[in-house]
Amino acid sequence: MCLGRCLRRLALSATGHWHKSRVTTYGRRAHQSSQEPYKYNVLGMASALETLCGQAFGAKKHHMLGVYLQRSWIVLLIFAAGLTPTYIFMEPLLLLIGQSPELSRLAGRMSIWLIPQHFAMAMLLPLTRFLQSQLKNWITAVTAGAALAVHVVVTYLLVQYFQLGIVGAVAAADMSWWLVVLGQLVYVVGGWCPLSWKGFSMEAFNDFWDFIKLSSASGVMLCLENWYYRVLVLLTGYLKNAEIAVDALSICQTINGWEMMIPFGFLAATGVRVSNELGAGSGKGARFAIIVSITTSVVIGLVFWFLILYFDDRIALLFTSSEVVLAAVHKLSVLLAFTILLNSVQPVLSGVAIGSGWQALVAYVNVGTYYLIGVPLGIILGWPLHLGVGGIWSGMIGGTAVQTVILAYLTVKCDWDEEAKIASTRMQKWAADLK
């Protein structure tokens, strides 16, 4: 996921500087409108593998990892095929919900070129989690680094030399995604995972419905979580004279997105370590992994919280020289700092949930805290109380804070020794079913 964000941001950055053209801003918003909702659904469904592969690896049931990988490919590819029409008809769908014709036209054009990325995700995300659960993170780093180097060159050629603009940037990202897929696929099926990859098997269709339920719960959990701040951008677009507010908010969200790569890394690491320890029957090990992850992530979050408060709107000079936009960013910088601080805890707790298999429970928590508390509170602060984008964002931070407190309570109160017994029993049962 971190690679994908880097590729997309590099690609869009190559199309021009933020402040030089409204088309660039529309390009960024069009890209989010055309791909972001579905990306997180596929990402969430793939996170079921963090639970299953991680616990199987911890229980030393290595042969099950390859079966889970194939099962995840089948589910995600079916899901990706089912969503493809929404890419094809993106322009009329955006017009239907009231987006501007210019944004809808550009998003519709881009969405067609995003279809290859859509299917690449369905292949790549299970591969990445399959490797992460075995602590083979180096192969994901190598393939990502190689693809990023190629991506920079190809993006320059397509965007600057051949003057293909945003379409060229998206096409370059398509190619880069598939390079990563091929690199990891060759590593897995080429004999470098002898314990966990035994070849393609019809066993991938066993317990298919149970896997779909866990994948769906994972998808709902992560979608509700990551769509939340997309709602912030959407609501801001309905404010009076919203263009400056949307520009400033987009800059803040981009900075937040860059910093979020660190907690997202802790999310993945926590999910893997917790699932490994639970699969191995070690509740004490799972508890220790959680404490280390949260403590480290919070310390890093405090550093970035201080940096944002210290540099204030000067960070926005990376994107714009407009005094009006810089002033708007200045008003939002405190909210950005506290969002970053809060997000240093919340993703790690989500990683705990993924590693423990609590996806369905967390999905209910997300619905209640985000969409029954955060969004309504943001709307009240933004419109009746006339606090504008700052009010909308403050209300939604409140929803995130409530969600974080609930997840922290569940984590502290959990009997991890009992969770380890449940995970071990599950692995024993499913391993027996595959024989």
Side-chain angles (χ1 to χ4, degrees), residues 17-30 32 232-234 236-237 239 241-255 315-330 332 336 389 393:
H17 297 293
W18 194 294
H19 65 282
K20 286 187 176 180
S21 171
R22 288 183 63 207
V23 174
T24 306
T25 300
Y26 274 120
R28 296 173 189 269
R29 292 178 63 197
Q32 288 186 335
L232 173 58
V233 178
L234 182 65
T236 302
L239 291 172
N241 300 321
E243 186 175 335
I244 298 300
V246 170
D247 282 349
L249 183 61
S250 297
I251 290 174
C252 290
Q253 290 297 305
T254 299
I255 295 169
I315 296 179
L317 291 171
L318 293 169
F319 305 94
T320 184
S321 58
S322 168
E323 293 295 333
V324 178
V325 175
L326 288 173
V329 171
H330 169 73
L332 297 176
L336 173 61
V389 62
W393 196 350

Side-chain angles (χ1 to χ4, degrees), residues 214-375:
L214 181 58
S215 293
S216 300
S218 300
V220 170
M221 184 194 86
L222 209 59
C223 279
L224 291 173
E225 199 164 288
N226 286 282
W227 288 351
Y228 186 52
Y229 280 99
R230 302 306 182 272
V231 173
L232 173 58
V233 178
L234 182 65
L235 291 176
T236 302
Y238 291 110
L239 291 172
K240 186 177 180 181
N241 300 321
E243 186 175 335
I244 298 300
V246 170
D247 282 349
L249 183 61
S250 297
I251 290 174
C252 290
Q253 290 297 305
T254 299
I255 295 169
N256 184 49
W258 286 348
E259 194 278 335
M260 276 289 287
M261 294 302 96
I262 298 173
F264 271 135
F266 279 98
L267 183 155
T270 304
V272 169
R273 291 303 305 154
V274 169
S275 61
N276 285 169
E277 297 294 346
L278 292 179
S282 175
K284 182 179 179 181
R287 190 183 301 110
F288 180 74
I290 293 167
I291 293 171
V292 171
S293 294
I294 291 177
T295 302
T296 308
S297 185
V298 168
V299 169
I300 294 173
L302 284 169
V303 172
F304 281 97
W305 173 79
F306 174 77
L307 289 175
I308 294 296
L309 291 178
Y310 179 77
F311 287 103
D312 198 26
D313 58 350
R314 283 170 285 179
I315 296 179
L317 291 171
L318 293 169
F319 305 94
T320 184
S321 58
S322 168
E323 293 295 333
V324 178
V325 175
L326 288 173
V329 171
H330 169 73
K331 294 179 181 178
L332 297 176
S333 60
V334 173
L335 292 174
L336 173 61
F338 280 95
T339 298
I340 285 174
L341 182 59
L342 196 57
N343 285 340
S344 67
V345 180
Q346 186 272 336
V348 180
L349 295 174
S350 293
V352 174
I354 290 171
S356 307
W358 299 346
Q359 288 92 330
L361 172 62
V362 176
Y364 287 114
V365 173
N366 288 351
V367 170
T369 57
Y370 287 159
Y371 299 96
L372 299 182
I373 297 176
V375 172

Side-chain angles (χ1 to χ4, degrees), residues 14-299:
T15 62
H17 297 293
W18 194 294
H19 65 282
K20 286 187 176 180
S21 171
R22 288 183 63 207
V23 174
T24 306
T25 300
Y26 274 120
R28 296 173 189 269
R29 292 178 63 197
H31 188 275
Q32 288 186 335
S33 299
S34 57
Q35 189 194 34
E36 294 289 317
Y38 311 121
K39 176 188 74 174
Y40 286 113
N41 212 329
V42 176
L43 175 65
M45 294 182 74
S47 73
L49 244 62
E50 292 182 47
T51 305
L52 298 175
C53 284
Q55 292 184 5
F57 184 78
K60 301 189 185 303
K61 306 295 182 182
H62 299 109
H63 64 286
M64 297 173 64
L65 275 72
V67 175
Y68 291 148
L69 173 62
Q70 295 169 58
R71 201 173 289 170
S72 184
W73 275 337
I74 295 168
V75 171
L76 265 65
L77 286 171
I78 291 173
F79 181 79
L83 279 179
T84 298
T86 61
Y87 280 77
I88 297 172
F89 299 106
M90 180 60 65
E91 181 176 353
L93 287 173
L94 289 174
L95 289 171
L96 186 64
I97 64 172
Q99 294 293 326
S100 71
E102 185 176 356
L103 173 63
S104 300
R105 179 190 59 78
L106 188 56
R109 183 185 178 197
M110 291 177 64
S111 66
I112 299 298
W113 288 90
L114 286 168
I115 292 175
Q117 287 186 45
H118 182 54
F119 282 94
M121 272 188 176
M123 292 293 294
L124 176 62
L125 293 172
L127 277 169
T128 301
R129 276 139 187 79
F130 172 82
L131 293 168
Q132 284 178 344
S133 66
Q134 303 171 73
L135 309 181
K136 294 179 180 288
N137 295 315
W138 68 269
I139 185 62
T140 63
V142 169
T143 53
L148 186 60
V150 173
H151 176 76
V152 172
V153 176
V154 174
T155 300
Y156 174 79
L157 290 174
L158 294 180
V159 175
Q160 299 294 337
Y161 186 78
F162 291 104
Q163 296 294 308
L164 295 179
I166 292 175
V167 169
V170 177
D174 290 341
M175 189 193 74
S176 302
W177 273 91
W178 277 103
L179 280 176
V180 181
V181 172
L182 291 175
Q184 294 187 16
L185 186 62
V186 168
Y187 180 84
V188 170
V189 305
W192 286 278
C193 296
L195 295 177
S196 54
W197 178 261
K198 302 294 185 180
F200 293 97
S201 171
M202 292 300 293
E203 292 176 341
F205 293 95
N206 294 345
D207 298 314
F208 202 60
W209 178 241
D210 288 337
F211 190 88
I212 289 176
K213 288 193 292 185
L214 181 58
S215 293
S216 300
S218 300
V220 170
M221 184 194 86
L222 209 59
C223 279
L224 291 173
E225 199 164 288
N226 286 282
W227 288 351
Y228 186 52
Y229 280 99
R230 302 306 182 272
V231 173
L232 173 58
V233 178
L234 182 65
L235 291 176
T236 302
Y238 291 110
L239 291 172
K240 186 177 180 181
N241 300 321
E243 186 175 335
I244 298 300
V246 170
D247 282 349
L249 183 61
S250 297
I251 290 174
C252 290
Q253 290 297 305
T254 299
I255 295 169
N256 184 49
W258 286 348
E259 194 278 335
M260 276 289 287
M261 294 302 96
I262 298 173
F264 271 135
F266 279 98
L267 183 155
T270 304
V272 169
R273 291 303 305 154
V274 169
S275 61
N276 285 169
E277 297 294 346
L278 292 179
S282 175
K284 182 179 179 181
R287 190 183 301 110
F288 180 74
I290 293 167
I291 293 171
V292 171
S293 294
I294 291 177
T295 302
T296 308
S297 185
V298 168
V299 169

